[in-house]
Amino acid sequence: EMSAYQAGIAKFQEAGFEVIGVSTDNTPSIKYWADNVIHPTFRMASDFATRKAAKDYGVLMEARGIANRATFVIDGTGKIQHIEEGSSAISIDGALNACSRLKKH
C-alpha cells in the first residue's frame, strides 16, 4: 500500500532508490488519497486512461479493469530485478530486501 511506502521512504532514499507510485485509479481519486491520506513525498501517476503500464508490466486484470497489486524493483538500466505481487506487494519488506541485494551487486 502506498502509505507503507511513504512511511518507509527514508529507507529507500538512504539506499539511493526512488519510489514511484502508479495506480489504475483516476487522477482525482489519486489526488484525494495523496492530499488526505498518504501525503506522499514520492511521485504518483495514474494509469487510468489506457491501463498501458499495467498491461505492459503483466499485472492488468482485464476483466475487472484493475491491476493486481505489484511492486517492481527496476535497476538503473531499466531491467526488472524483482517483483512482489498480491498481498506481499503491500509490505515494503520485499522491495527493501531486493533493493539491498541490488545495491550490493
Side-chain angles (χ1 to χ4, degrees):
E1 156 174 298
M2 302 276 188
S3 298
Y5 280 85
Q6 180 55 47
I9 195 72
K11 294 175 185 175
F12 289 99
Q13 292 170 336
E14 288 167 5
F17 291 90
E18 180 180 5
V19 172
I20 302 170
V22 180
S23 173
T24 54
D25 289 342
N26 61 37
T27 303
S29 293
I30 292 172
K31 182 169 176 24
Y32 173 84
W33 281 98
D35 292 348
N36 298 291
V37 180
I38 303 168
H39 308 288
T41 57
F42 56 87
R43 292 184 288 161
M44 292 182 65
S46 173
D47 189 30
F48 179 77
T50 63
R51 308 286 203 276
K52 183 172 177 16
K55 189 171 193 173
D56 288 353
Y57 279 80
V59 294
L60 181 64
M61 295 183 279
E62 293 195 48
R64 297 179 61 196
I66 60 172
N68 185 24
R69 289 180 186 241
T71 296
F72 296 88
V73 176
I74 303 170
D75 68 18
T77 68
K79 184 177 178 186
I80 297 172
Q81 294 292 330
H82 180 76
I83 302 170
E84 289 284 329
E85 285 191 76
S87 60
S88 65
I90 296 170
S91 169
I92 66 169
D93 295 337
L96 281 171
N97 289 337
C99 288
S100 296
R101 287 192 303 272
L102 185 60
K103 185 100 172 156
K104 290 177 184 174
H105 293 341

